[in-house]
Amino acid sequence: MKFCAVKQYFDDENNNNITSGASTTMIPLPNVESHPLAILITYCKKHLKIKANNADNKKETEKEMEQYEQELLKKVMPQELTELILAANYLNFKEALDFFCRAVASAIQNKSIEFVRKFFGLESDFELGEEEKLREEFAWSFEGVDED
Amino acid sequence: MSDNNELIQWELLPSEIVTNILVRLPIKSIIICTCVSKAWKSLIQNPTFISTHLRYSHNKNLLFFNLCSENQKEFYALHNEDDEPDFTQHTSFDYPFLVPDPDAIFRVVGTCNGLLLCLSNNLTEGTSRLCLWNPSVRKLVNLPLTNFSSDACIGFGFDPRTNDYKVVIVVNLMDRLHHLRIYSLSTGEWRMLRVGLAPICALCHHEPHAFINGALHWVASRVTDNKSLYFILVFDLGDEVFREILPPEPIGHTGMMSAFVSVYKDSIALIQKDYNGFLHIWVMKKYGVVSSWTKVLSLTISNQSYIFDSEDIPRVIGFRRNGEVVLKLDGGKLVSQDPESEEIKDLRIIGNKNTFVDPYVESLVLLDKAANRVVTY
């Protein structure tokens, strides 16, 4: 099962011998919003489907997944990525986590400090002058950075 | 999005996730990220992050070459190893400072995890200096001065158990291995490894080292019953103990005109010149297993020994990750040869007398060192 956190829940249930009369089980996921969860479920289903279609051909699976991932990224706002990452992390869904981390890395690659801060909602907590010193020390790494 | 949004506080991205994102960035971008916040700075400038980044499998496979420009000054080039058939250049660079004095000769003598070991010889004063340099992060550590002869055998490698880089100088007395001097990047100091632990043998002068499987390797010889016996001396950087590996059966007792050990995939190769004008390349297919020595290539070499300062043609200058041997041919032309198919590829690079090739990755090593220990440029 891909969503390892959910699997844990089922394992716990079996251990406690709770027999559920209902055909559906409600699993509380307090740390995940419905929107990212929907995306992750779709991603998971798609991944399993592609894997099943290309049973023995690992390369085909990778290629199809890449195409699907490119399409998915076009529909997702950059700022949503952080939410998706936290959701995938909470659910312990490794493939999705790696994919979204890759996507974030692409989004912040060669961008300025200010861009990265804005993306993650971070603020500078350096002491006065500390940041200037760092910028001076690493001046060469700021060459050719994308304009904000 | 209601109150629930407050639960997902972006500042609280776990550090494993931030690491997962940042290791995928090019080095310049990682360095920019050290300026984003205090937390990110201390996450990145940390030995753990640096190790994780080193192990990240998407780092490009590069080949390091030390070359020479027209004015006899050394410069360095990194080429994309997997980019066949062009082997495009990824970048090239110089030693960034004026060498301290015009009488000094500066050379890179080894690489490890993106770090370069550099030797500067002052011929008039007869002194030598070493430094560790990471061009990817523009940081350099000068090793404390220590007396050693300019033709001493020097080794360089990494101890994964202590996450430490070590430089080893072999000190001879009366042409025999006497003791080792070992420098540790963590302590920043030299110390001596005493004679009682060193085996009785002699190393060839100037011999390049091979660092693989946590140990340094050199060809050594000893005389027993008036016969010279050749073997491979192994020094484990972690345990700091010596071992020996026997050479291929046919050549252990015969005089090898000259021989050296090179890294071959995850094992070693022995490059040996015989008295008949042949160069033989043996590889140890299973590291440490003497019966697995296999001769993979023999080449005729022309030695224009009547020309002063000559060298053999062709000369083995190293191996690629896929096991192909890199040779320097006439005029400095570098080629890559597959020992099995014997297919030859032109690397389109011209080398010189000191050129060697090493598999290389760009890394962040030295980024975590305190400002008072490193030189930045």
Side-chain angles (χ1 to χ4, degrees):
Chain A
M1 181 182 284
K2 293 285 170 187
F3 287 19
C4 298
V6 175
K7 178 172 189 289
Q8 189 71 39
Y9 190 91
F10 280 112
D11 287 342
D12 287 345
E13 248 199 16
N14 286 335
N15 288 340
N16 291 334
N17 273 328
I18 299 171
T19 41
S20 170
S23 55
T24 53
T25 313
M26 296 264 289
I27 301 167
L29 292 172
N31 286 347
V32 187
E33 290 277 316
S34 52
H35 183 54
L37 180 59
I39 296 182
L40 288 175
I41 291 174
T42 314
Y43 181 93
C44 184
K45 283 185 176 165
K46 189 76 187 183
H47 190 182
L48 291 170
K49 187 164 161 217
I50 291 178
K51 234 174 145 180
N53 282 345
N54 297 315
D56 289 324
N57 196 339
K58 199 172 170 212
K59 259 201 159 166
E60 265 306 304
T61 309
E62 276 173 24
K63 220 174 100 187
E64 273 197 56
M65 270 314 283
E66 255 183 66
Q67 279 174 338
Y68 169 66
E69 284 169 358
Q70 291 308 316
E71 285 305 311
L72 181 59
L73 278 181
K74 288 182 193 159
K75 297 183 214 154
V76 169
M77 295 289 296
Q79 271 64 27
E80 283 181 271
L81 286 172
T82 318
E83 261 183 16
L84 284 161
I85 286 178
L86 285 167
N89 186 50
Y90 176 73
L91 292 166
N92 209 343
F93 184 179
K94 187 175 186 306
E95 285 87 353
L97 183 58
D98 282 347
F99 164 55
F100 291 122
C101 285
R102 269 201 310 274
V104 171
S106 290
I108 63 174
Q109 182 167 317
N110 207 40
K111 298 288 187 207
S112 69
I113 301 176
E114 289 76 19
F115 183 96
V116 177
R117 282 185 184 145
K118 194 158 157 237
F119 192 97
F120 289 98
L122 296 169
E123 275 177 22
S124 167
D125 55 350
F126 287 113
E127 263 109 48
L128 202 62
E130 209 182 331
E131 191 181 324
E132 273 66 52
K133 256 179 72 186
L134 276 175
R135 281 178 188 259
E136 217 185 287
E137 184 183 347
F138 295 118
W140 56 273
S141 61
F142 293 95
E143 288 162 22
V145 160
D146 292 347
E147 300 271 320
D148 280 350
Chain B
M1 292 283 190
S2 60
D3 295 324
N4 281 340
N5 207 19
E6 262 40 69
L7 285 173
I8 304 173
Q9 288 181 48
W10 299 2
E11 292 90 350
L12 299 180
L13 266 188
S15 58
E16 308 84 61
I17 295 187
V18 179
T19 299
N20 193 343
I21 296 170
L22 297 182
V23 291
R24 299 165 192 271
L25 292 171
I27 290 189
K28 271 187 175 184
S29 291
I30 295 178
I31 290 186
I32 289 176
C33 288
T34 58
C35 307
V36 161
S37 75
K38 273 186 161 165
W40 280 33
K41 178 175 186 285
S42 68
L43 174 75
I44 294 168
Q45 290 186 342
N46 183 291
T48 312
F49 183 87
I50 293 175
S51 298
T52 308
H53 175 262
L54 200 54
R55 285 194 309 267
Y56 179 60
S57 57
H58 282 57
N59 284 327
K60 277 200 265 233
N61 281 342
L62 300 168
L63 288 176
F64 170 90
F65 294 89
N66 60 327
L67 307 167
C68 210
S69 57
E70 278 145 10
N71 59 359
Q72 299 307 307
K73 197 169 161 245
E74 205 172 69
F75 73 95
Y76 314 101
L78 300 175
H79 284 252
N80 293 305
E81 181 170 12
D82 299 328
D83 181 31
E84 305 216 14
D86 297 315
F87 298 103
T88 47
Q89 188 182 88
H90 171 68
T91 184
S92 77
F93 49 91
D94 280 349
Y95 180 65
F97 303 107
L98 288 174
V99 178
D101 52 74
D103 290 330
I105 297 176
F106 179 89
R107 275 185 22 229
V108 169
V109 295
T111 84
C112 182
N113 292 349
L115 210 53
L116 305 176
L117 176 66
C118 314
L119 172 65
S120 171
N121 285 325
N122 183 318
L123 301 174
T124 28
E125 287 171 29
T127 52
S128 300
R129 267 221 90 121
L130 291 164
C131 78
L132 287 172
W133 172 29
N134 186 343
S136 307
V137 299
R138 303 205 185 182
K139 295 208 178 267
L140 197 146
V141 169
N142 281 310
L143 272 56
L145 284 170
T146 189
N147 256 335
F148 61 99
S149 131
S150 62
D151 64 355
C153 288
I154 302 175
F156 172 42
F158 175 67
D159 176 12
R161 264 169 292 177
T162 50
N163 205 1
D164 191 16
Y165 293 86
K166 293 184 180 173
V167 178
V168 170
I169 299 179
V170 177
V171 181
N172 291 325
L173 191 63
M174 295 193 298
D175 265 346
R176 282 197 349 199
L177 168 61
H178 187 252
H179 66 265
L180 299 185
R181 242 176 260 155
I182 304 178
Y183 168 85
S184 142
L185 182 62
S186 303
T187 65
E189 283 170 6
W190 289 98
R191 87 194 126 82
M192 192 149 73
L193 189 74
R194 296 212 163 263
V195 67
L197 302 167
I200 298 172
C201 63
L203 298 184
C204 310
H205 288 311
H206 251 150
E207 198 194 315
H209 66 269
F211 175 72
I212 188 79
N213 298 332
L216 293 167
H217 303 71
W218 293 280
V219 172
S221 65
R222 65 164 59 97
V223 178
T224 22
D225 300 329
N226 270 334
K227 275 199 299 200
S228 281
L229 178 68
Y230 291 85
F231 59 95
I232 292 166
L233 182 65
V234 183
F235 180 68
D236 187 300
L237 274 191
D239 302 327
E240 297 192 353
V241 292
F242 285 97
R243 290 193 320 266
E244 296 177 14
I245 294 179
L246 290 174
E249 170 75 23
I251 60 177
H253 292 273
T254 64
M256 297 196 271
M257 257 194 81
S258 67
F260 65 95
V261 186
S262 176
V263 174
Y264 169 82
K265 293 192 182 175
D266 57 356
S267 181
I268 52 178
L270 182 66
I271 294 94
Q272 171 230 350
K273 193 161 100 173
D274 70 13
Y275 290 104
N276 300 321
F278 279 96
L279 187 71
H280 303 288
I281 300 178
W282 298 78
V283 304
M284 191 170 225
K285 297 222 158 177
K286 275 201 177 147
Y287 178 73
V289 176
V290 179
S291 56
S292 75
W293 278 116
T294 313
K295 192 194 292 196
V296 294
L297 203 57
S298 291
L299 304 163
T300 1
I301 40 174
S302 65
N303 180 321
Q304 301 148 303
S305 51
Y306 50 88
I307 299 173
F308 176 68
D309 209 18
S310 77
E311 35 166 348
D312 299 330
I313 296 164
R315 195 159 75 88
V316 172
I317 65 167
F319 287 83
R320 291 174 57 188
R321 288 173 175 87
N322 61 3
E324 289 184 16
V325 57
V326 180
L327 300 166
K328 183 157 74 75
L329 306 179
D330 212 359
K333 181 167 148 175
L334 299 186
V335 301
S336 165
Q337 179 164 16
D338 184 327
E340 264 150 66
S341 70
E342 298 201 16
E343 183 200 344
I344 295 188
K345 299 166 196 161
D346 185 358
L347 294 177
R348 301 170 207 208
I349 303 171
I350 302 293
N352 67 86
K353 204 155 66 82
N354 295 318
T355 299
F356 69 89
V357 64
D358 245 2
Y360 187 89
V361 284
E362 289 176 317
S363 77
L364 300 168
V365 179
L366 294 187
L367 195 62
D368 58 336
K369 294 298 171 209
N372 61 353
R373 287 197 58 200
V374 284
V375 175
T376 305
Y377 61 95

